[in-house]
Amino acid sequence: MTSTLGILLALSFVVSLCALGMLVWAIANKQISAGKKEAASIFLAGEVGVFDDPASAEVDHSFDAMRAGVDRPGKGVVLLLLSASVSFLIVGSIFGVIASLKLHMPDWLASTAFTTFGRARTIHLNLVAYGWLSAAGIGIALWQIPRMFHTPLRRPAVATVGAIVWAVGVTAGAIAIGSGWSDGLEWLEIPWQIDIVLAIGGAILAWSAVETAIHREVKHIYVSGWYFLAGMVWFPILFVVANTPGIHTGVEQATMNWWFAHNVLGLWLTPLGVGIAYYLIPKIIGKPVYSYSVSLLGFWGLALFYSQVGIHHLIGGPVPTWVVTLSVVHSVMMFIPVIAVAINQHVTVAENMWAFKQSMALRFVWTGALMYTAASFQGSLEAVRSINSITHFTHYTVGHAHLGAYGFVSIVLFGAFYYMMPHLTGHRWPWPKAIAAHYWLTVIGFAIYFISLTIGGFRQGIELLNPESSFADITRHVMPYLEARSLGGSLMTLGHILFGVHFFALLSHATQRKGAVA
């Protein structure tokens, strides 16, 4: 146990040390000296003060012809990643609904192995985490990075190979889990032999992004670039260490498991979501963020404080108390970067509510940004022992996890799709009303899902602490909340199917128009 804790603490120290090294480099190269000029570095001449949302039917739009040269080389790999991610989202969502229904209908589909709860829920998690969130996040980052750095994507053909390898790895992982071949750890279920494929694909994609950053045409690295590049450095460290076989066993393995699982959200998915929002919010509105210096404070706060957050999931377990206490302190310290992000993104939109009303893309992105603030505050409070003693091992934690991974990251990704696809294809979305329908299915469905699990999970936790409550009674009391969860999840999945049909309809329309012109 001591050796594993030492390894994890050393690795966390290395991650923080890397962040500190980047901070020193940034100071030395005057990347921290941020003002209005640096905040406006994502705009070209004439773009400041211009509302920009090609998903809005009320706005005449040129589809960003000035950036066509920057977008063109990476268009193929970006569309490939986005197409794969949407496919993974739909399939993963269907398995999520199956798993949810089986919590209150356990005999349904019980005769088929891959639809049992253990496999269906695990397929859902991995398809959504690595197929949807990661693939879509990487695709959007590969589109935004060239635009921020005013240079085309480097090695797009190589990146395309990386995208194919990643998609093959995710597909193979889901098939393996469905057949009963799994490593048996949450967020780490894909067999390590297949993880090698994912590692290779991810490394190739990161290579293209990093080389593009090195050859940038602007001196300043915009805050979104920091988030994207840091995530591409942090995630490989987490992924390789957690998936190396034969290192961790028993309680040591549980410690490593939650170190990895929480850091995947905080040091991989969060940088993608926050980075995307920091680019899209000012770009759509046509004004730089409220305080660019504060935005950089938010990034460095995340880099320096997040690496030890996950161990608070082991409060009460056979883990040294000082390790858990360190994690609780890091969790509370996360208020600093979260408040920094909240000040910037929410004030920027609040001062320009006219854009929120006009832009469906901004509506998605800001809703996701609000969920990031809520999820982060909830997570910091949930790490405190007095609250954790109630919420631990309950459905409350499931609701919290979805508030971050879905309420925040997924909804931001939806907004990014609606903004960028017309730029990539040169065509508007064919059914504008479907965008609004998707938004409300997503928001209403998730509200039902989250509220039911939060209330039901908290009540479950209170009853579990009562020695006079039987487990059978607790299970019966939580059943209505699980049924509401299935209702909310079904609405969300319906929204995903609508989104997928709309996405592929746009691609088909753009392809037909291109063929007709040719």
Side-chain angles (χ1 to χ4, degrees):
M1 181 65 185
T2 303
S3 61
T4 294
L5 286 177
I7 292 172
L8 294 181
L9 287 173
L11 286 170
S12 297
F13 176 74
V14 169
V15 171
S16 295
L17 195 62
C18 290
L20 184 60
M22 288 191 295
L23 177 59
V24 171
W25 179 89
I27 294 172
N29 287 270
K30 299 181 180 180
Q31 294 289 334
I32 303 300
S33 303
K36 293 183 178 180
K37 180 180 179 181
E38 288 76 16
S41 63
I42 59 172
F43 297 99
L44 295 177
E47 289 183 339
V48 176
V50 177
F51 174 69
D52 177 21
D53 180 15
S56 173
E58 301 176 7
V59 177
D60 292 329
H61 194 79
S62 62
F63 299 107
D64 223 349
M66 295 177 67
R67 296 186 189 270
V70 171
D71 287 347
R72 191 175 298 112
K75 177 180 177 180
V77 63
V78 171
L79 288 176
L80 176 60
L81 284 165
L82 299 187
S83 300
S85 70
V86 173
S87 302
F88 287 132
L89 171 66
I90 294 172
V91 177
S93 299
I94 292 171
F95 274 98
V97 172
I98 292 172
S100 180
L101 289 171
K102 290 180 75 66
L103 288 173
H104 51 89
M105 299 167 55
D107 294 330
W108 182 56
L109 300 178
S111 60
T112 308
F114 74 91
T115 56
T116 56
F117 177 80
R119 296 189 189 182
R121 191 265 178 188
T122 306
I123 292 172
H124 160 70
L125 170 62
N126 285 272
L127 284 180
V128 170
Y130 302 115
W132 158 242
L133 296 172
S134 295
I138 294 171
I140 295 167
L142 291 182
W143 180 75
Q144 287 187 4
I145 285 174
R147 287 173 155 244
M148 288 186 293
F149 296 150
H150 299 184
T151 185
L153 184 72
R154 300 286 168 151
R155 303 191 184 278
V158 173
T160 300
V161 173
I164 294 171
V165 171
W166 184 273
V168 169
V170 173
T171 303
I175 293 172
I177 292 167
S179 65
W181 181 25
S182 167
D183 283 348
L185 295 171
E186 191 168 10
W187 289 85
L188 292 167
E189 293 93 349
I190 295 177
W192 65 265
Q193 295 89 340
I194 298 176
D195 287 326
I196 295 173
V197 177
L198 288 171
I200 293 171
I204 295 173
L205 290 165
W207 175 19
S208 178
V210 171
E211 187 168 338
T212 303
I214 292 173
H215 291 88
R216 65 187 185 277
E217 296 295 327
V218 292
K219 181 179 179 181
H220 180 71
I221 298 177
Y222 183 71
V223 62
S224 295
W226 281 111
Y227 278 106
F228 293 151
L229 296 173
M232 292 179 184
V233 171
W234 290 328
F235 183 62
I237 298 174
L238 302 171
F239 194 77
V240 171
V241 170
N243 284 287
T244 302
I247 297 180
H248 318 289
T249 58
V251 176
E252 301 173 356
Q253 200 171 57
T255 306
M256 177 279 301
N257 189 184
W258 281 107
W259 172 82
F260 172 79
H262 222 292
N263 282 342
V264 166
L265 179 60
L267 297 179
W268 173 234
L269 298 180
T270 293
L272 290 176
V274 174
I276 291 167
Y278 260 128
Y279 177 84
L280 290 180
I281 288 175
K283 193 73 175 62
I284 293 171
I285 294 173
K287 297 179 182 179
V289 292
Y290 176 73
S291 174
Y292 190 66
S293 298
V294 172
S295 72
L296 294 175
L297 172 64
F299 168 74
W300 294 111
L302 175 74
L304 295 171
F305 298 144
Y306 200 92
S307 62
Q308 280 297 324
V309 166
I311 310 301
H312 72 249
H313 281 274
L314 299 176
I315 291 176
V319 181
T321 303
W322 66 267
V323 176
V324 175
T325 300
L326 179 64
S327 179
V328 173
V329 171
H330 276 243
S331 298
V332 174
M333 290 294 288
M334 278 301 297
F335 275 115
I336 296 174
V338 171
I339 291 172
V341 172
I343 289 173
N344 255 315
Q345 297 184 352
H346 303 333
V347 173
T348 302
V349 177
E351 291 182 340
N352 299 276
M353 287 303 294
W354 58 269
F356 177 79
K357 296 175 183 178
Q358 277 189 256
S359 170
M360 286 305 305
L362 182 61
R363 199 171 299 181
F364 273 97
V365 174
W366 192 42
T367 300
L370 289 169
M371 295 303 102
Y372 170 65
T373 304
S376 300
F377 280 15
Q378 184 188 33
S380 294
L381 293 173
E382 194 177 346
V384 178
R385 284 183 173 86
S386 59
I387 298 176
N388 189 277
S389 63
I390 299 173
T391 61
H392 204 38
F393 301 126
T394 69
H395 294 290
Y396 182 98
T397 304
V398 179
H400 168 65
H402 282 77
L403 181 61
Y406 186 86
F408 161 42
V409 184
S410 284
I411 293 180
V412 168
L413 294 180
F414 291 141
F417 269 76
Y418 286 124
Y419 175 82
M420 65 188 285
M421 284 302 295
H423 285 292
L424 278 168
T425 63
H427 298 280
R428 293 189 185 276
W429 290 91
W431 312 315
K433 291 183 179 179
I435 302 176
H438 176 210
Y439 177 81
W440 289 113
L441 283 169
T442 296
V443 170
I444 294 173
F446 182 70
I448 295 172
Y449 184 102
F450 175 73
I451 293 171
S452 62
L453 288 185
T454 300
I455 297 174
F458 200 83
R459 177 179 178 181
Q460 180 188 18
I462 295 293
E463 292 187 352
L464 284 170
L465 293 175
N466 182 1
E468 297 181 359
S469 297
S470 69
F471 190 79
D473 288 339
I474 296 172
T475 303
R476 281 192 291 269
H477 294 162
V478 82
M479 200 64 67
Y481 301 100
L482 297 180
E483 293 169 349
R485 164 187 171 153
S486 294
L487 172 62
S490 297
L491 290 175
M492 291 152 62
T493 299
L494 182 60
H496 301 164
I497 294 171
L498 176 62
F499 168 64
V501 171
H502 201 186
F503 173 82
F504 287 112
L506 173 59
L507 279 185
S508 176
H509 178 69
T511 302
Q512 290 173 3
R513 288 288 298 273
K514 183 178 179 181
V517 171

